[in-house]
Amino acid sequence: MKNLLRSVVLAGLVMVVGGVGVRAQQADRVVKFAAPFAFEVENNKLPAGEYTVLVQGGWLQIQGKGENGAAHALTIPVVSRGEKTVSKSHVVFHNYQGRYFLAQIWSSGQEKGRELLETREEQQLAKRQEMVAVNLPLSNGGAK
């Protein structure tokens, strides 16, 4: 009985550890960027700093370097205007008088980017204030 339990626990551990590596390998894209300002993703406030974004199956997972925090968000595909494929990787933020919301992720060589859904708070700000889109180009090696 102990051997059976031990085998089941070991098999479960192998599946969990193996699944993490597979998830990273199956990602649609990975984007790295440095935000010079604090910003929001969903209802998470993230400080300025370096971030890695994993986009997989419509979901975005953002992880800060060190203790910068993390967030998850649902995205929808968005088509590039004027270009068949995106030439340079970049992220787009919506700025409402100093409050930044992550809005889009674009990877070079891709025909489509990913757009985050606006939160209620961002929708309310959009009704009262003018939005300025901030395009943050990625440094070399920013997208994989």
Side-chain angles (χ1 to χ4, degrees):
M1 186 66 170
K2 285 184 182 181
N3 287 339
L4 178 63
L5 181 60
R6 188 175 300 146
S7 296
V8 170
V9 170
L10 182 59
L13 183 60
V14 167
M15 288 175 60
V16 169
V17 172
V20 171
V22 169
R23 189 179 79 193
Q25 292 172 359
Q26 292 177 346
D28 296 342
R29 61 193 69 116
V30 176
V31 175
K32 295 182 180 187
F33 69 93
F37 42 74
F39 63 98
E40 299 178 37
V41 175
E42 287 285 319
N43 294 315
N44 299 294
K45 295 180 181 178
L46 302 174
E50 294 180 27
Y51 290 90
T52 300
V53 177
L54 171 73
V55 179
Q56 181 179 9
W59 285 94
L60 173 142
Q61 177 183 353
I62 184 167
Q63 178 66 49
K65 187 174 181 181
E67 296 182 22
N68 277 352
H72 294 80
L74 184 61
T75 65
I76 57 174
V78 61
V79 179
S80 174
R81 292 186 183 141
E83 295 182 59
K84 186 156 180 94
T85 60
V86 176
S87 59
K88 293 186 179 180
S89 298
H90 61 280
V91 292
V92 178
F93 293 89
H94 290 168
N95 177 10
Y96 300 92
Q97 296 182 352
R99 284 191 65 190
Y100 294 87
F101 294 83
L102 182 60
Q104 297 177 347
I105 304 286
W106 293 90
S107 295
S108 62
Q110 301 288 322
E111 293 182 13
K112 295 180 182 177
R114 301 303 301 185
E115 184 170 65
L116 285 76
L117 304 174
E118 289 182 347
T119 62
R120 278 193 188 164
E121 192 169 5
E122 184 178 358
Q123 291 172 356
Q124 293 298 320
L125 284 170
K127 290 178 185 177
R128 298 188 312 258
Q129 300 174 11
E130 185 177 335
M131 184 272 291
V132 176
V134 177
N135 188 343
L136 183 64
L138 304 182
S139 60
N140 292 338
K144 295 181 181 177

